[in-house]
Amino acid sequence: MDYLPLFAQLKRRPCLVVGGGEVAWRKTRMLLKVGAAVTLVAPEIDREIEEAQAQGKLTVLREAFRPEHLDGNMLAIAATDNALVNELVSTAADSRNILVNVVDDTPKCSFIVPSLVDRSPIIIAISSGGKAPVLARMLREKIETLVPQHIGKMAAMAGAFRDKLKARIPTLTGRRKFWEAAFSGRFADLVAAGKHQQAEQALEQLSGQITTQGEVALIGAGPGDPGLLTLRALQLMQQADVVLYDYLVAEPIMELCRRDAELVCVGKRASYHSVSQDDINRLLVEHAQAGKRVVRLKGGDPFMFGRGGEELQTLANAGVSFQVVPGITAAAGATAYAGIPLTHRDHAQTALFITGHLKKEQDTLEWATLARAQQTLVIYMGLMKSAHIQSQLLAHGRSPETPVAVIENGTRPEQKVFTGQLNNLPSLAEQAASPALIVVGEVAALAGQLTWFGDNNVATDADPTQAPTAVVNFA
């Protein structure tokens, strides 16, 4: 992010505009609209500026710009058609630590003016950082059609009710629940219909109906691509007071959580546990019993090798309300992004999912079933046990030439796909890093033909059993 979006209070604050033409007047009008004390410097000025000066709306200095004009101002805008003057304004402002905007010259700007959707007091700002202003304008036009005009009135009425609500609902979490219910319920409908008195009554009624009971949402975040989140998952993440998340949840997904939510990493890695399962269960119960809305965010799907069921049992025993939002499991997401169909009429009529996170002495898997031909075997958390998996499959009849794939960071920009045969599975696993998924079966040979995600394609031989190991890097 090149620029920090800010909404500045400029009422009665001194601001300088350099330039006397149409663009300078447009920028001046913007500053006057928010109550800034504007001084405009230019040897020649347009008629609109003269009229505004005569009405006492701004101060005009009919002279050439000098660096001293900046002294005492909070910000400056250079809007002349002389590049040398604009550069002088920029340089002089920077030397005085004054924010400056040079129209249509982003490198000389220390602040930029975004495109605005005005539903005061709701203001939506769109900026491309000066890279694509036409795109920003097009986005503004799109948003203008999506944001109804009554939003501003609704915000103003909400602001007038805030102090009364604070006296009735003392907790921050309770007030958040109130406003979420108000803005999506009868109050919003009444404001849209212009029935403002009835809308105020609806707020009064609703303020006595909000419960302060906490709850937990167990959410599957999917394999990594934020675009694979469900709408319900995004809604609950935006409402959460506390988010307990695993290390497998991708950073772009974490960025979609409510900004002021408490984020608690309870991630686990092979051979390393940052937080025990008992402690995770305790945190879920404690936060919910404190009246908070808790999101338990897990990579993939929470019921697929994720111990989500155990966590819900703890909540049920403690009498805590909960809900579950499924996620796209890695077996479905990562294989799809790698161009590997789980089933195929010619290659696999069955797909089996297992976890490789097991101890050799406790291996109770039905390897004879797992080793059958013409089926797809997907192994979660199998990198460290790849040699054991290989030996068991070979011992129970799977051909050493069976195609395999190891998918690292599936669905993410840094996704890598390592393809080969069962007889070299351990060497493939050594090249990959966690999180990774192992796919064993004839469908793995289709990765080269069906690849679509990222910039690179996979070259495969006509005979997949003779194909050398390939590495596909989608970073």
Side-chain angles (χ1 to χ4, degrees):
M1 190 163 64
D2 294 328
Y3 295 88
L4 177 66
L6 292 173
F7 289 90
Q9 171 59 269
L10 296 180
K11 275 187 171 61
R12 296 180 296 278
R13 297 185 184 274
C15 301
L16 183 72
V17 176
V18 181
E22 177 186 351
V23 176
W25 172 235
R26 188 168 70 242
K27 300 299 182 183
T28 300
R29 228 175 32 237
M30 174 189 67
L31 292 173
L32 293 174
K33 187 176 181 180
V34 296
V38 181
T39 298
L40 184 143
V41 177
E44 302 290 336
I45 59 175
D46 283 357
R47 179 176 54 81
E48 292 87 353
I49 299 174
E50 286 183 346
E51 292 175 355
Q53 180 189 18
Q55 296 167 11
K57 293 181 178 180
L58 75 158
T59 299
V60 176
L61 302 177
R62 300 284 291 267
E63 57 193 59
F65 168 77
R66 301 190 310 276
E68 302 84 61
H69 287 136
L70 290 162
D71 295 340
N73 283 282
M74 181 179 178
L75 61 81
I77 297 177
T80 79
D81 56 5
N82 187 318
L84 292 178
V85 173
N86 289 344
E87 184 173 2
L88 177 60
V89 175
S90 175
T91 302
D94 280 342
S95 68
R96 289 167 169 76
N97 289 321
I98 295 174
L99 292 173
V100 63
N101 174 268
V102 179
V103 177
D104 290 334
D105 198 346
T106 305
K108 294 184 177 63
C109 296
S110 56
F111 82 94
I112 54 179
V113 180
S115 183
L116 298 176
V117 176
D118 189 352
R119 301 287 188 273
S120 294
I122 299 296
I123 303 293
I124 302 172
I126 307 104
S127 173
S128 66
K131 304 293 193 301
V134 173
L135 179 58
R137 176 181 57 78
M138 293 173 65
L139 287 173
R140 176 204 166 192
E141 293 170 359
K142 183 69 173 178
I143 294 172
E144 287 277 9
T145 66
L146 298 175
V147 182
Q149 292 292 329
H150 72 269
I151 285 289
K153 180 62 178 177
M154 189 161 63
M157 293 179 69
F161 195 72
R162 287 187 68 187
D163 289 341
K164 186 180 293 187
L165 180 69
K166 193 171 184 179
R168 295 181 182 179
I169 303 179
T171 67
L172 184 61
T173 297
R175 292 195 295 273
R176 284 181 182 140
K177 288 182 179 180
F178 171 87
W179 288 120
E180 286 163 2
F183 293 145
S184 60
R186 186 165 179 266
F187 166 68
D189 293 337
L190 290 170
V191 176
K195 299 178 180 179
H196 300 154
Q197 185 174 356
Q198 293 181 43
E200 291 174 355
Q201 294 171 355
L203 289 180
E204 295 280 354
Q205 294 170 0
L206 183 62
S207 64
Q209 300 170 0
I210 296 299
T211 176
T212 57
Q213 182 181 358
E215 59 184 357
V216 175
L218 179 63
I219 296 177
D225 184 347
L228 298 181
L229 275 176
T230 64
L231 289 175
R232 183 60 178 159
L234 183 58
Q235 290 168 354
L236 292 171
M237 288 162 61
Q238 287 286 311
Q239 296 172 4
D241 300 306
V242 181
V243 179
L244 275 64
Y245 65 99
D246 289 344
Y247 90 97
L248 284 176
V249 180
E251 184 62 30
I253 292 176
M254 293 304 303
E255 288 290 327
L256 298 175
C257 294
R258 209 184 80 210
R259 291 295 180 188
D260 56 346
E262 179 184 352
L263 304 181
V264 183
C265 181
V266 293
K268 299 179 180 180
R269 300 174 186 263
S271 302
Y272 174 77
H273 293 247
S274 60
V275 180
S276 70
Q277 187 63 52
D278 286 342
D279 284 339
I280 293 173
N281 295 344
R282 176 182 55 78
L283 287 170
L284 289 171
V285 172
E286 287 181 355
H287 284 301
Q289 289 180 339
K292 297 178 180 179
R293 289 170 301 180
V294 183
V295 160
R296 176 68 174 104
L297 198 57
K298 290 176 171 285
D301 181 87
F303 284 172
M304 184 65 71
F305 305 121
R307 303 186 74 171
E310 299 172 40
E311 295 176 4
L312 292 190
Q313 285 180 303
T314 299
L315 296 173
N317 292 335
V320 174
S321 176
F322 59 82
Q323 60 179 294
V324 182
V325 181
I328 294 178
T329 187
T335 54
Y337 277 53
I340 301 174
L342 289 172
T343 63
H344 189 287
R345 187 172 61 177
D346 297 330
H347 303 297
Q349 290 72 50
T350 307
L352 303 178
F353 303 164
I354 67 170
T355 175
H357 191 53
L358 46 84
K359 295 181 179 179
K360 188 174 182 180
E361 60 274 14
Q362 297 177 351
D363 184 358
T364 58
L365 294 173
E366 295 289 340
W367 286 105
T369 300
L370 301 178
R372 290 183 306 196
Q374 298 296 302
Q375 74 176 7
T376 305
L377 178 62
V378 181
I379 305 151
Y380 291 72
M381 299 172 284
L383 290 184
M384 297 179 64
K385 301 295 182 180
S386 60
H388 175 67
I389 293 167
Q390 178 200 51
S391 65
Q392 289 295 323
L393 291 176
L394 292 175
H396 288 82
R398 202 57 154 126
S399 167
E401 297 178 341
T402 302
V404 299
V406 179
I407 309 169
E408 173 188 320
N409 285 311
T411 79
R412 307 185 188 193
E414 62 270 25
Q415 173 178 293
K416 295 179 182 179
V417 181
F418 304 84
T419 63
Q421 300 174 344
L422 183 57
N423 58 11
N424 63 1
L425 175 58
S427 65
L428 292 178
E430 288 179 0
Q431 300 175 57
S434 181
L437 200 70
I438 297 174
V439 182
V440 179
E442 289 74 12
V443 293
L446 299 175
Q449 181 183 1
L450 304 182
T451 184
W452 62 271
F453 178 61
D455 296 327
N456 300 318
N457 295 318
V458 185
T460 59
D461 282 346
D463 180 2
T465 64
Q466 300 300 317
T469 299
V471 178
V472 187
N473 188 343
F474 291 104

